[in-house]
Amino acid sequence: MEKSPDAELLGSIRTVIRLARIVQQACEEAGLTLAQYRALNSAVNGEQRAYELARYTAVSRPAVSALTNGMVRAGLIERSDAARDGRGVLFSITQHGVDTLRGAEDLLVERIKDVLGETGDALGAFRALRVDEIEAALDAQADKDFGPAGRRAWAGRAKNG
């Protein structure tokens, strides 16, 4: 019996969810939640306003306040006034945040290689996912959910590292 396209799609979704659990565990081992990891991954590219972090972390604007407050308390990011207009708040990553992010990323690579094989094998599996197309689709969805990005500091993060 042949699988329907929706059944095949659901199987792929289940696989991504299983993989996401491994990613979540690696982040937790590094002392981060997934939202904190996404925020640091965005902030490492330069100062971010709260709405930019909300957009990239895929949390609601109200939830980003709790996220950023916790990250400031943990010393992962710091808050400053926006010099351009004096009304906004900017968040930038601290050295502790950079070190924590790099530690999490080392664990992520290690865990993914444990599951998918050495770098070449793991890259082959991810290339089959068509990551660039998925990233573009996620950005388009963020545009729908949060409005168009004022700037895309995270553009090219998968390629630039």
Side-chain angles (χ1 to χ4, degrees):
M1 182 173 172
E2 195 172 309
K3 280 186 176 180
S4 74
D6 282 349
E8 192 173 339
L9 176 60
L10 185 57
S12 296
I13 292 167
R14 288 177 179 147
T15 300
V16 169
I17 290 169
R18 290 179 68 200
L19 190 59
R21 181 62 185 140
I22 292 167
V23 169
Q24 180 182 0
Q25 288 170 333
C27 284
E28 288 171 357
E29 188 176 330
L32 298 172
T33 66
L34 282 176
Q36 289 172 328
Y37 172 78
R38 290 189 304 264
L40 288 176
N41 194 29
S42 181
V44 76
N45 292 309
E47 292 180 323
Q48 304 276 303
R49 290 183 179 266
Y51 78 87
E52 292 170 313
L53 289 176
R55 185 178 205 288
Y56 186 68
T57 59
V59 299
S60 68
R61 289 184 187 190
V64 82
S65 178
L67 174 67
T68 55
N69 286 338
M71 292 178 71
V72 167
R73 279 193 304 278
L76 298 169
I77 60 174
E78 56 191 10
R79 180 183 281 120
S80 63
D81 292 329
R84 292 175 287 228
D85 60 17
R87 296 179 297 157
V89 175
L90 295 173
F91 296 94
S92 55
I93 193 167
T94 63
Q95 187 59 52
H96 175 61
V98 170
D99 295 343
T100 301
L101 176 63
R102 296 301 174 230
E105 290 179 336
D106 288 346
L107 281 171
L108 288 166
V109 167
E110 179 184 319
R111 296 302 186 275
I112 294 302
K113 286 168 63 172
D114 286 348
V115 173
L116 298 177
E118 287 305 310
T119 301
D121 295 332
L123 275 173
F126 280 109
R127 285 183 182 128
L129 286 174
R130 299 181 357 218
V131 173
D132 289 341
E133 290 177 40
I134 294 170
E135 283 287 332
L138 290 170
D139 286 343
Q141 185 62 47
D143 286 346
K144 289 179 191 172
D145 292 345
F146 293 92
R151 66 178 184 168
R152 301 242 174 160
W154 58 87
R157 67 191 172 281
K159 294 178 190 116
N160 297 332

